[in-house]
Amino acid sequence: MPEFTQDKKIYFICDDTTPSGAVKIADKVREDIRLVTDILPEDVKILKAGEKTEFSDSAVTIIFGLTDSALVKDICSGNGLDISAVTGKREVYGFFPVEKGVVIVGSDKRGLIYGLFHISDLMGVSPLVNWSLAKPKKIKFAVRPEDAFISKEPSVRYRGFFINDEWPAFGNWCMKNFGGVNRKAYEGIFEMLLRMKGNYLWPAMWASCFAEDGPGLESALLADELGVVMG
């Protein structure tokens, strides 16, 4: 039973085929773990092609990647994990506790991101963790065998929300906190959307333009990196 304790390091490990957006989300989950346990996991380690890793007695190791990742295939084979229910699906993830860590497998980029946030869900971290002071309680946390989980394909293909009435509320908030309706503003919105297993956002566009005010394409590029479909 992988237990997050002060005497153990916590590692997030993937290989260089892992989408960069999923690596960014792993950093969000690292911060969630710090909020809940006061333990900040090590920086995400990205292995090069052909590099392998092993689970350690002195650490909790979280290995994540897509179903076609050589690292994932090797780890799953070595630990008797069947990922056939994940392979070839849309936005599906497998969450597999093992003796010294966790293996998170995504059928695609969004599935992998949802799988990473599954750790946050288990710890009781709200999707609104960065909004309205919705901070989680401090707890002792361990991943149990019964936490093993394989998600289903979403029954609704596009799931999200519309940012209504850009001005004055949303626009002024963006101006005050981020200097405009830009990439910095949308980063937190995308994070909240993905934590809720959403994938679709209608941007606010009254006096602003999503595709130009990033500045430039930065907001659009971030949406693509994180797998957010823009309306």
Side-chain angles (χ1 to χ4, degrees):
M1 183 173 68
E3 187 173 2
F4 293 27
T5 56
Q6 294 287 352
D7 62 332
K8 290 184 178 180
K9 290 184 179 294
I10 303 172
Y11 296 107
F12 280 77
I13 300 176
C14 63
D15 66 17
D16 57 9
T17 67
T18 303
S20 61
V23 176
K24 285 188 174 181
I25 295 304
D27 277 329
K28 304 289 187 184
V29 179
R30 289 174 60 242
E31 176 61 17
D32 289 349
I33 293 172
R34 186 195 66 78
L35 285 174
V36 171
T37 69
D38 289 326
I39 305 166
L40 179 62
E42 303 295 309
D43 290 343
V44 177
K45 184 176 182 180
I46 303 175
L47 302 182
K48 296 179 181 178
E51 284 189 282
K52 295 187 177 183
T53 189
E54 296 180 354
F55 293 102
S56 168
D57 291 329
S58 60
V60 175
T61 304
I62 299 163
I63 294 173
F64 64 101
L66 300 176
T67 53
D68 59 358
S69 158
L71 173 64
V72 165
K73 289 179 178 178
D74 181 63
I75 289 292
C76 289
S77 175
N79 287 271
L81 301 178
D82 181 6
I83 60 174
S84 59
V86 179
T87 304
K89 299 297 178 61
R90 172 177 52 84
E91 298 181 0
V92 169
Y93 66 89
F95 186 89
F96 303 104
V98 294
E99 184 178 355
K100 301 168 186 174
V102 180
V103 181
I104 301 172
V105 185
S107 64
D108 52 27
K109 176 166 55 180
R110 280 192 288 268
L112 182 55
I113 286 172
Y114 299 154
L116 285 162
F117 275 138
H118 191 75
I119 298 177
S120 305
D121 294 341
L122 290 175
M123 292 189 299
V125 178
S126 167
L128 299 175
V129 62
N130 295 318
W131 306 78
S132 302
L133 301 177
K135 299 301 181 184
K137 292 181 179 180
K138 302 285 186 181
I139 61 172
K140 292 182 178 180
F141 179 69
V143 180
R144 304 163 298 174
E146 54 265 37
D147 290 326
F149 182 77
I150 297 177
S151 68
K152 296 180 179 179
E153 284 190 324
S155 56
V156 177
R157 183 172 289 270
Y158 299 111
R159 311 168 305 282
F161 51 79
F162 169 59
I163 299 176
N164 195 20
D165 293 338
E166 180 182 296
W167 295 96
F170 179 72
N172 283 335
W173 173 77
C174 289
M175 290 297 295
K176 178 181 178 181
N177 292 283
F178 309 105
V181 184
N182 54 30
R183 174 193 170 111
K184 291 179 180 179
Y186 277 111
E187 183 174 359
I189 296 168
F190 292 159
E191 177 187 338
M192 179 177 66
L193 176 69
L194 293 167
R195 285 180 182 273
M196 295 190 294
K197 309 298 188 291
N199 63 4
Y200 195 52
L201 179 69
W202 292 262
M205 288 191 292
W206 177 355
S208 63
C209 179
F210 178 81
E212 295 180 0
D213 297 340
L217 292 174
E218 286 190 18
S219 295
L221 290 172
L222 181 63
D224 181 65
E225 186 178 28
L226 295 176
V228 176
V229 180
M230 300 304 298

